[in-house]
Amino acid sequence: YVAKTTHAGVRVYTSDDDRNSPRRLAMVADLREAIQRHDIVVVFQPKIETATGLVVGAEALARWHHPAHGFVPPDEFIPLAEHSGLIRPLTLHVLEVSLRRCATWRRMGHDIHVAVNLSPNSLQESDLPDIVARLLGQTGVPASALTLEITESSIMADPTGAMVILDRLHALGVKLAIDDFGTGYSSLGRLRELPIHEMKIDRSFVQRIAVDHRDRAVVRSAVQLGHALDLMVVAEGVEDEHTLLHLRQEGCNLVQGFFISKPLPADDFADWLTARIPQLGGA
Ligand code: C2E
Ligand code: MG
Ligand code: MG
Ligand code: MG
């Protein structure tokens, strides 16, 4: 079986063989309860324009503090949710919280968007576009201020079905981003056909561009490809100023990473925004 050990020592089983192990079932039950009680917290990481430093948006990232085991990373509990039928309520919770927060920031005068991650399963759910439309209506966030992040592999599972849902989301005016670009099964032909707005270069390519000319060549090509396809190109995982300067030289549009800010609780994010844009502080 495949078992991973987290920092907190929590073991989350991901293989089918362990689907019914008592430990795994207990974690699934705890996760179900956490989702129902809204104990899954959403944190926000700013996305800024590389050339100007202007904040354009924030990515929503789910956090789970298990009452007994402590922090469980999303790389552990998202797969658990995906394999136990919990990803749908989890996604809807993150989507709703994110849109409410985005509405608040926009009322404060910040013209920013929010980005929410989708699991592959979500692209198989034909009612997703209707749910998204309803939540946009309820929160008053314009469709163009919502970005949904998907991965290449989530499309490959059922390209035809996924395409129908992506087209409907696109028709609503929602923006779509390809996340972790470069790590999945990329069909360049498919990329050209997708109604996407944004390409996010995976941080594994970004992190060493200041010291490794090969990584820099990969990032340069990705930026060129993105621009050739009229996409906004985002670099993830920017941890220092050198990396940021290189990305600026390469013409990468947007950046995200610990150098700008770690993901922040919603209230802290609002404070961070206000501090960064002093002229709006008193508004
Ligand atoms: P992702 O969507 O690619 O999110 C970016 C990840 O990179 C986040 O990890 C973020 O905290 C981390 N990160 C950001 N800047 C830096 C940096 O400068 N250095 C380093 N080392 N890391 C950085 P996180 O929050 O642990 O999330 C991991 C993955 O879990 C996400 O990757 C996403 O695929 C998934 N995930 C998180 N929240 C959700 C959710 O609400 N729904 C779904 N379906 N997946 C989620
Ligand atoms: Mg993402
Ligand atoms: Mg990513
Ligand atoms: Mg990722």
Side-chain angles (χ1 to χ4, degrees):
Y1 57 77
V2 185
K4 291 200 274 179
T5 305
T6 70
H7 301 300
V10 182
R11 300 179 90 215
V12 175
Y13 295 88
T14 50
S15 115
D16 284 349
D17 302 343
D18 295 297
R19 189 152 286 194
N20 297 314
S21 80
R23 182 57 188 265
R24 190 178 185 281
L25 290 177
M27 286 297 275
V28 169
D30 293 347
L31 182 57
R32 176 174 292 116
E33 194 176 317
I35 296 167
Q36 279 165 359
R37 297 162 120 195
H38 293 187
D39 282 347
I40 301 293
V41 169
V42 185
V43 293
F44 297 91
Q45 186 178 41
K47 285 163 85 169
I48 67 164
E49 205 169 62
T50 316
T52 60
L54 215 72
V55 186
V56 298
E59 178 174 4
L61 295 157
R63 293 288 178 265
W64 183 24
H65 293 271
H66 188 284
H69 305 301
F71 178 71
V72 184
D75 288 330
E76 304 279 334
F77 72 81
I78 296 290
L80 192 68
E82 286 172 346
H83 293 112
S84 57
L86 292 174
I87 195 64
R88 181 183 163 96
L90 176 64
T91 303
L92 296 186
H93 171 68
V94 173
L95 200 53
E96 181 165 358
V97 169
S98 302
L99 287 173
R100 289 202 188 292
R101 290 295 183 168
C102 185
T104 305
W105 304 326
R106 294 176 67 84
R107 278 197 299 272
M108 292 166 68
H110 303 292
D111 182 18
I112 63 173
H113 74 240
V114 74
V116 174
N117 291 284
L118 290 187
S119 285
N121 319 42
S122 303
L123 295 185
Q124 323 272 334
E125 291 174 353
S126 55
D127 60 346
L128 180 73
D130 295 334
I131 294 172
V132 168
R134 177 168 55 76
L135 288 173
L136 287 168
Q138 280 171 4
T139 55
V141 173
S144 60
L146 174 65
T147 298
L148 296 174
E149 300 193 0
I150 56 177
T151 57
E152 299 155 87
S153 41
S154 66
I155 300 158
M156 299 321 278
D158 170 18
T160 321
M163 199 66 111
V164 172
I165 293 175
L166 294 179
D167 280 336
R168 285 175 55 210
L169 289 167
H170 177 70
L172 286 177
V174 169
K175 290 175 177 156
L176 300 168
I178 289 287
D179 203 354
D180 305 341
F181 180 77
T183 61
Y185 255 120
S186 224
S187 148
L188 293 181
R190 180 86 56 202
L191 195 64
R192 184 174 60 83
E193 288 163 17
L194 291 171
I196 52 171
H197 176 80
E198 188 176 289
M199 169 199 282
K200 300 188 76 173
I201 307 174
D202 192 70
R203 71 165 182 265
S204 59
F205 304 107
V206 172
Q207 282 185 319
R208 292 172 44 78
I209 59 165
V211 291
D212 190 327
H213 69 276
R214 291 163 304 182
D215 282 350
R216 189 164 174 178
V218 169
V219 167
R220 177 175 299 155
S221 313
V223 171
Q224 284 170 356
L225 174 64
H227 287 170
L229 296 173
D230 294 322
L231 303 176
M232 293 291 280
V233 180
V234 187
E236 310 183 312
V238 179
E239 293 185 354
D240 57 65
E241 189 169 17
H242 280 296
T243 306
L244 178 62
L245 294 175
H246 279 283
L247 289 163
R248 192 174 287 158
Q249 273 178 32
E250 298 301 342
C252 183
N253 305 90
L254 307 176
V255 285
Q256 224 182 306
F258 295 167
F259 179 64
I260 294 106
S261 172
K262 296 212 167 192
L264 299 169
D267 290 336
D268 295 353
F269 179 77
D271 292 344
W272 183 90
L273 261 183
T274 304
R276 200 169 162 102
I277 312 168
Q279 67 272 22
L280 289 177

